[in-house]
Amino acid sequence: MAIKEGLRIRKKTFWRLILPAGLLTLYLYGLPIVRHLETFIPMGVCPSAIMALLKDNFTGPLHPWARPEVLTCTSWGAPIIWDGTFDPDAAQQEARRQNLTIGLTVFAVGRYLERYLARFLESAEQHFMVGQHVVYYVFTERPEAVPHVALGRGRGLRVERVRQEPRWQDVSMARMRTLHQALGGRLGGGAHFVFCMDVDQHFSGAFGPETLAGLVAQLHAWHYHWPRWFLPFERDLRSEAALSREQGDFYYHAAVFGGSVAALRRLTAHCARGQARDRERGLEARWHDESHLNKFFWLHKPAKVLSPEFCWAPNIGRRSEIRHPRLLWAPKEYEAVRD
């Protein structure tokens, strides 16, 4: 009996640990066909009881039944915004009625500035909150190198100097601390809602007020089909970012998050505090600030979740559910931009 029990435990360990690790390796580095198998993993269905209640502060009633092939709500009743589920004209009119100012922050340090910033800003002028009052906040260690971009009426750009960090990981992790300070100052005083985005991407479609809410999270393009136990949350229980196998809802992308100034102050304070405590212990979360962001969204559920259409990775390939991408990742050129 003891031998059988030992074999049973080993088999269970294989299925829970070794097999998922092997599948993940194949997914990331193996045959391309393996990556397409995830399209057969069902995303789930929004319960009709929740679907009937879905409403947005900007677009009014949503239309989740227009996208039956995807998950259009969360278990806590927040909408997942997909193309076709909202009225963009209604969102535009409501945002104008409220006379909102929307902030957009981006960090452009080191060679990321020359490589990506101009296209990011130029494409934002074409697609981000068109017709609304917008203030761009560019954080960089070289304000004099920020390119000139022609801005539309009611849109402005402010440059904030940040110190140069020794490693790219430090740049990533210092972002939350810097944003927290800025949200408590001029940025927080000059905007009603703020989006925080990575610079190595560009807008390709309308990114309008339908995305606004008190707290907004972005589904990660690489992980939105995956079951919870397969998601790359921080698993080192010593870390402040750690989530157990039973925790976590979705895996969110730190390339896009947003909300009200007050909500983002809480989010950035949580992440900066967790990173500081990890540093004191000699730890560094696997995915840096993104790991801490996911911990925050597990503890404090977002009021709105953006589908992968709002931040898509073209190298994933064609997906039938991705109708109109709004933001596209740039090709990753880590050797060229990271020291």
Side-chain angles (χ1 to χ4, degrees), residues 14-31:
F14 173 82
W15 283 105
R16 285 191 172 182
L17 300 176
I18 299 175
L19 181 59
L23 288 174
L24 180 60
T25 300
L26 282 172
Y27 179 84
L28 293 175
Y29 307 110
L31 298 174

Side-chain angles (χ1 to χ4, degrees), residues 82-306:
W82 292 85
D83 182 70
T85 64
F86 60 89
D87 183 345
D89 294 331
Q92 287 278 8
Q93 293 172 13
E94 180 59 22
R96 290 196 189 102
R97 186 190 70 80
Q98 296 187 32
N99 194 28
L100 297 176
T101 296
I102 300 140
L104 174 56
T105 72
V106 65
F107 283 70
V109 298
R111 290 188 286 272
Y112 278 80
L113 192 156
E114 290 88 358
R115 183 78 63 166
Y116 302 115
L117 181 59
R119 189 178 189 189
F120 178 88
L121 293 174
E122 289 166 358
S123 64
E125 273 300 284
Q126 296 174 8
H127 300 294
F128 181 77
M129 303 293 170
V130 174
Q132 309 298 329
H133 297 292
V134 171
V135 181
Y136 302 107
Y137 286 82
V138 176
F139 295 87
T140 180
E141 81 283 18
R142 291 180 292 139
E144 70 283 355
V146 173
H148 172 76
V149 175
L151 302 179
R153 183 180 178 182
R155 301 167 78 90
L157 186 148
R158 294 175 180 172
V159 180
E160 303 286 342
R161 184 185 292 274
V162 295
R163 71 181 186 184
Q164 187 170 3
E165 300 289 347
R167 305 181 307 148
W168 68 264
Q169 295 95 331
D170 297 322
V171 173
S172 173
M173 293 194 293
R175 178 171 68 152
M176 292 298 183
R177 182 182 67 247
T178 302
L179 284 173
H180 182 72
Q181 295 169 350
L183 288 161
R186 186 164 62 167
L187 170 59
H192 299 91
F193 293 93
V194 176
F195 268 101
C196 307
M197 298 189 182
D198 284 354
V199 71
D200 54 345
Q201 49 193 349
H202 66 273
F203 292 89
S204 58
F207 200 109
E210 67 276 356
T211 61
L212 298 175
L215 188 61
V216 183
Q218 170 68 58
L219 289 183
H220 200 294
W222 281 97
H223 306 303
Y224 67 102
H225 270 287
W226 292 15
R228 181 174 61 183
W229 56 268
F230 207 37
L231 296 174
F233 297 123
E234 177 59 47
R235 299 303 187 188
D236 186 342
L237 297 180
R238 299 173 299 166
S239 171
E240 292 290 319
L243 291 173
S244 71
R245 295 288 175 185
E246 291 72 37
Q247 294 177 323
D249 301 303
F250 305 96
Y251 191 79
Y252 302 111
H253 196 181
V256 177
F257 60 94
S260 69
V261 171
L264 290 183
R265 284 272 289 171
R266 291 189 291 270
L267 182 155
T268 52
H270 169 94
C271 294
R273 184 168 55 248
Q275 290 170 323
R277 290 174 178 170
D278 276 6
R279 194 175 298 112
E280 291 171 359
R281 299 167 185 160
L283 300 174
E284 195 169 276
R286 178 184 179 188
W287 296 113
H288 311 108
D289 58 342
E290 187 169 88
S291 297
H292 292 273
L293 180 83
N294 273 275
K295 178 65 172 285
F296 179 85
F297 280 135
W298 162 247
L299 297 172
H300 309 276
K301 309 300 188 190
K304 182 178 288 185
V305 177
L306 303 182

